Amino acid sequence: MPSPLPSSPSASVLDLAPVVPVVVVTDAADAVPLARALVAGGLPAIEVTLRTPAALDAIRAIADEVPDAVVGAGTVLSPAQVTDSVTAGARFLVSPGWTDVLLDAMRASGVPFLPGVSTTSEVVTLLELGVREMKFFPAQAAGGTAYLKSLAGPLPQARFCPTGGIGPDSAPEYLALPNVGCVGGSWMLPGDAVAAKDWARVETLAREAAALRPSG
């Protein structure tokens, strides 16, 4: 049986782990061992970006063969990609930004989604539409922790998964913010490790990432 998403109305993919790996798969054959390494390291929510021809096959393989993973699709840009991703087995959707058309498609998909925002007006607009969970992208370039901290006072109901330029050194500062549920990043998937199929190294880096949330 696949790992369930949290069932509480206030819970979501943002609560599965402190870090959501952002995965670019160029060879679908790597998808299953890569996902198994991430899950073994404590990172069950895996965002496979739709940046390569192998992405949908990778999502399908992870959904079929790694039951403890919660695989999602990232870089979702169109209603067609929403449909293709969910058909392949994606259990959540992430976009770098949003339009009314894309938002409607994600709403209709039946799976959780994180539309991307980088401005206060975008956040307010989504809140008006009943969307409270968002991707903050590109996090570092768009103002980083200082920007998100400033949003927490007037817009406490918004929760974010910041992604973009975040690494193991900066992640704890983001995770300490009250309006951050998790962060997205790819530092636990260094190119040389993936190329060498060094899944043990990926698992070790994933385990370190899973331990980054500040205590207390």
Side-chain angles (χ1 to χ4, degrees):
M1 291 290 292
S3 293
L5 283 167
S7 57
S8 167
S10 63
S12 74
V13 66
L14 270 63
D15 300 311
L16 287 175
V19 180
V20 174
V22 179
V23 182
V24 180
V25 178
T26 56
D27 183 351
D30 290 338
V32 168
L34 184 154
R36 285 175 175 159
L38 292 172
V39 170
L43 301 180
I46 301 170
E47 176 189 335
V48 178
T49 65
L50 302 182
R51 301 180 193 175
T52 69
L56 290 174
D57 286 338
I59 291 171
R60 189 173 295 108
I62 295 170
D64 289 345
E65 301 182 44
V66 192
D68 290 332
V70 178
V71 63
T75 321
V76 176
L77 301 175
S78 69
Q81 288 184 327
V82 169
T83 300
D84 290 345
S85 298
V86 175
T87 300
R91 297 171 60 196
F92 65 93
L93 305 169
V94 184
S95 66
W98 65 278
T99 65
D100 291 339
V101 171
L102 180 57
L103 188 67
D104 286 346
M106 291 193 293
R107 278 183 183 275
S109 70
V111 302
F113 57 92
L114 298 173
V117 297
S118 61
T119 70
T120 305
S121 293
E122 290 173 308
V123 176
V124 171
T125 301
L126 285 177
L127 289 174
E128 284 185 349
L129 295 172
V131 179
R132 297 191 173 190
E133 297 185 342
M134 311 163 199
K135 172 179 180 173
F136 180 59
F137 177 83
Q140 288 289 90
T145 55
Y147 194 97
L148 286 173
K149 186 175 182 179
S150 296
L151 292 182
L155 303 171
Q157 63 272 55
R159 297 182 73 220
F160 301 95
C161 174
T163 305
I166 299 174
D169 294 332
S170 58
E173 187 177 357
Y174 280 94
L175 292 167
L177 298 176
N179 55 352
V180 170
C182 63
V183 301
S186 57
W187 71 86
M188 73 297 299
L189 297 161
D192 57 344
V194 174
K197 304 186 188 304
D198 188 353
W199 309 125
R201 182 180 171 200
V202 170
E203 180 179 340
T204 296
L205 292 171
R207 185 170 291 108
E208 292 172 357
L212 285 176
R213 189 184 300 280
S215 59

